[in-house]
Amino acid sequence: MNDSKRIKESEITDENTYLNRRNFIRAGLLAGTTVASGLGYRLLNPPPPRPVETADIKGVTKSGNASLTDEPNSLEEIANYNNYYEFSTSKTGVAGAAENFKTRPWTVSVDGLVRKPRVFGIEDILKIDQEERIYRFRCVEGWSMVIPWVGFPIKRIFDIVEPLGNAKYVAFQTFYGGSNPRGEGVDLPEGANGMQSSLFAGIPFPYVEGLRLDEALHPLAILATGIYGKVLPNQNGAPIRLVVPWKYGFKSIKSVVRITLTSEQPPTTWSKAAPNEYGFYSNVNPEVDHPRWSQATERRIGELSRRDTLMFNGYGEEVAGLYKGMDLKREY
Ligand SMILES: Nc1nc2c(c(=O)[nH]1)N[C@H]1C(S)=C(S)[C@@H](COP(=O)(O)O)O[C@H]1N2
Ligand SMILES: [Mo]
């Protein structure tokens, strides 16, 4: 990409948006002064980007995403501008806060309405064929990136556990644990993973998300284990995270430990926190504004001018059929 179009991430537009995004939730939880001044300090003094040191993943099949002409963001951008509230609510602070997150041993329990429930060791999951998928990624806050993920369709897991006929939804859960000086004594189990308490983050943990089963079975919905052919950095949701490219970024839940098939629509973290602002579907839709800001345009990280946001983030041809007959303004 033309260098003159790329800018530094120290600009604070998105930080302001995201502060607004959760301020009203925090207001009820904390008296703002000390926390607010800490955030103010971090906004004015963002830490320098951290180098990304992760191992190569062997045997990745190259992408079939030939139609995607957008230039991918750099690994440095992708790994230094994050939303991962368990570690930090500062996008530039997540990488450092997640540095000592332990992702081994790691298991993913797949249970609920399946014929063969199973607890997978991460080593077994990594034996599934890994492919590169270059996807657009659009956060509900109005920024976007292009990310070359490594991963595999979630359907591969369902082929192993065999969903029962009455399974209609899939619930996902993030690991939650560890200890942190700021979180100690609040609601954290023992451990040393560097996560903070719900009280500091302003949203309930463990982080949970959900999809309809037919959405989860869609070939574009993947479980990602890497970026740029390398093992997923902690801050991006190591060792395994969901990626649903036609939905807002918060649906793409990180560091998954449990996948449960259900007959009822499962609760999701952001819709629990603010149901009038974040719905279950959360499909990228330029025509349905967030109650407090427009979704018509977005800022691609690294670019100066805003781009038009695309319906279903540009994946309408593939996924619009999933929502036939639905009122997407009502089912946001
Ligand atoms: N467990 C968990 N998953 C999460 C989040 C989070 O705070 N906790 N943030 C979400 C949001 S809002 C976004 S935009 C993406 C960011 O992913 P990235 O940091 O890899 O770009 O992760 C999503 N998944
Ligand atoms: Mo997001």
Side-chain angles (χ1 to χ4, degrees):
M1 185 183 297
N2 184 343
D3 248 14
S4 65
K5 276 172 68 191
R6 302 191 73 88
I7 49 169
K8 281 279 152 233
E9 289 327 315
S10 46
E11 77 165 76
I12 61 169
T13 324
D14 298 318
E15 294 278 1
N16 285 338
T17 307
Y18 104 87
L19 284 173
N20 290 336
R21 181 179 174 195
R22 64 195 176 79
N23 258 354
F24 72 103
I25 303 169
R26 296 171 59 92
L29 292 170
L30 290 172
T33 41
T34 39
V35 173
S37 58
L39 287 170
Y41 177 82
R42 288 205 294 278
L43 289 180
L44 295 170
N45 301 277
R50 303 173 75 86
V52 190
E53 292 160 13
T54 66
D56 290 340
I57 301 178
K58 297 203 172 65
V60 177
T61 312
K62 276 291 168 187
S63 174
N65 279 74
S67 60
L68 190 62
T69 51
D70 304 27
E71 170 118 0
N73 284 90
S74 69
L75 182 57
E76 192 186 90
E77 286 168 330
I78 296 165
N80 283 284
Y81 192 80
N82 304 102
N83 273 328
Y84 199 161
Y85 277 37
E86 287 88 332
F87 289 104
S88 175
T89 48
S90 158
K91 279 187 244 302
T92 49
V94 173
E99 195 176 29
N100 297 318
F101 184 43
K102 292 190 180 65
T103 59
R104 294 293 188 283
W106 191 275
T107 57
V108 180
S109 167
V110 187
D111 53 30
L113 301 174
V114 294
R115 194 158 288 116
K116 300 173 178 165
R118 183 166 159 187
V119 179
F120 291 88
I122 189 69
E123 294 74 16
D124 294 327
I125 292 178
L126 294 173
K127 284 180 195 144
I128 296 172
D129 290 341
Q130 310 281 309
E131 42 183 297
E132 181 179 69
R133 293 288 185 96
I134 305 172
Y135 284 162
R136 288 180 214 94
F137 188 88
R138 168 63 153 84
C139 175
V140 74
E141 295 160 352
W143 55 268
S144 66
M145 297 204 203
V146 174
I147 305 183
W149 302 105
V150 175
F152 57 88
I154 319 171
K155 184 176 182 300
R156 296 279 181 77
I157 297 279
F158 295 139
D159 290 343
I160 300 171
V161 299
E162 300 176 19
L164 296 170
N166 54 344
K168 293 284 179 283
Y169 293 91
V170 189
F172 298 85
Q173 187 179 316
T174 292
F175 174 87
Y176 184 55
S179 67
N180 181 297
R182 295 192 295 158
E184 236 151 27
V186 183
D187 59 359
L188 287 174
E190 287 300 303
N193 280 292
M195 288 185 164
Q196 62 177 347
S197 82
S198 294
L199 190 66
F200 285 97
I203 57 172
F205 295 140
Y207 195 103
V208 289
E209 257 305 335
L211 295 173
R212 244 173 30 203
L213 180 58
D214 60 337
E215 295 178 312
L217 289 171
H218 193 281
L220 288 180
I222 60 168
L223 288 170
T225 58
I227 295 172
Y228 270 111
K230 293 175 178 299
V231 170
L232 207 57
N234 288 347
Q235 57 269 35
N236 294 98
I240 186 163
R241 62 93 59 88
L242 183 66
V243 177
V244 194
W246 68 94
K247 292 179 180 282
Y248 290 119
F250 65 84
K251 298 294 291 183
S252 292
I253 182 174
K254 294 178 167 181
S255 307
V256 171
V257 289
R258 190 168 181 200
I259 301 175
T260 307
L261 284 91
T262 64
S263 57
E264 305 287 331
Q265 183 177 301
T268 66
T269 291
W270 279 101
S271 67
K272 277 194 287 187
N276 60 322
E277 304 198 355
Y278 309 102
F280 178 79
Y281 283 96
S282 294
N283 292 312
V284 175
N285 189 338
E287 284 159 27
V288 177
D289 287 338
H290 185 280
R292 291 180 287 128
W293 58 84
S294 165
Q295 295 291 25
T297 64
E298 65 199 56
R299 188 176 73 87
R300 179 70 50 81
I301 298 301
E303 293 181 359
L304 280 175
S305 49
R306 295 182 74 87
R307 300 176 166 244
D308 288 342
T309 288
L310 305 173
M311 186 64 202
F312 296 116
N313 206 20
Y315 299 100
E317 209 169 295
E318 291 93 332
V319 304
L322 291 168
Y323 309 103
K324 231 162 103 187
M326 279 175 59
D327 177 354
L328 298 177
K329 285 200 164 64
R330 225 166 48 91
E331 311 223 51
Y332 55 88

